[in-house]
Amino acid sequence: MTDIFKEYAIEVVKARGHKNITGKHKTTFEITRDTYLTPKGDCIIGVSADKALSHFSEKFKNIIRNDDSILIIILESGNYSDIVLAHGSKSLTYASDQKIIVRKSTYIDDATACIRSTKAAIDIDRRLINVLKNPNAELRAIFIALRLHKIDSIYEFIGSIIENFPQTNNIPYTS
């Protein structure tokens, strides 16, 4: 099998929970280096982050700044996790030294990590959001940037697995 990924890079961001986390925003979610959160910050799911977009590696930034890149985000705290998928863009700057914003829309500013996300704060597993309401909770956000050879490669890869899967005709069916 061929490697379908041209490039990939991983960044891990650690942040804290906060009593004012509600996770109710319908178009974005945010992780911030700020230590405070007002009740109006309904997109914020983590505070006191150990890094923001400007601190991500150049390799990561170079990968995500392509229209054929995708971003997988794994959010973990306590016994709960959630996965978010999104798209990169050649217009991303990764200039913010305070924020990481994931957007469902295509709007881009210096704090935008990705666009066309599958989830905003309101869509994140409520059990995870409830854990993050505790100021002692730690959020671990794993960002995986991937650049595909071409968008159809993922389907070709899955197809090749199916085609090359060993035949099981000689294995008796058991229920």
Side-chain angles (χ1 to χ4, degrees), residues 19-55:
K19 67 179 182 176
N20 289 330
I21 288 177
T22 61
K24 291 185 178 178
H25 202 276
K26 294 179 182 176
T27 61
T28 66
F29 72 83
E30 177 182 329
I31 300 170
T32 181
R33 293 183 70 202
D34 291 338
T35 58
Y36 62 90
L37 174 60
T38 68
K40 288 186 177 185
D42 63 350
C43 68
I44 296 173
I45 64 165
V47 299
S48 301
D50 62 351
K51 63 175 102 171
L53 293 180
S54 67
H55 305 111

Side-chain angles (χ1 to χ4, degrees), residues 146-165:
L146 303 168
R147 188 157 182 224
L148 303 176
H149 285 293
K150 57 183 183 178
I151 296 300
D152 290 340
S153 294
I154 196 91
Y155 301 109
E156 290 172 13
F157 177 70
I158 293 167
S160 69
I161 291 173
I162 293 168
E163 286 175 12
N164 296 310
F165 198 78

Side-chain angles (χ1 to χ4, degrees), residues 52-146:
L53 293 180
S54 67
H55 305 111
F56 282 32
S57 71
E58 288 306 311
K59 179 180 180 183
F60 189 100
K61 293 175 193 176
N62 290 334
I63 292 169
I64 204 65
R65 288 181 186 140
N66 286 280
D67 292 333
D68 64 347
S69 63
I70 59 173
L71 186 61
I72 302 167
I73 306 164
I74 303 166
L75 303 169
E76 302 175 328
S77 188
N79 293 323
Y80 301 104
S81 64
D82 206 345
I83 296 176
V84 181
L85 303 175
H87 293 266
S89 169
K90 64 184 175 189
S91 301
L92 294 169
T93 67
Y94 271 59
S96 176
D97 63 356
Q98 280 300 116
K99 300 176 183 180
I100 301 168
I101 300 176
V102 174
R103 300 183 189 280
K104 280 186 154 183
S105 70
T106 58
Y107 176 79
I108 293 175
D109 67 12
D110 287 348
T112 304
C114 53
I115 57 174
R116 299 186 322 187
S117 168
T118 58
K119 295 183 181 178
I122 192 75
D123 306 307
I124 295 172
D125 187 318
R126 294 292 93 187
R127 297 171 298 178
L128 178 59
I129 294 298
N130 286 334
V131 168
L132 294 172
K133 291 179 181 187
N134 180 341
N136 295 319
E138 184 176 283
L139 170 66
R140 189 165 81 135
I142 304 164
F143 293 82
I144 306 167
L146 303 168

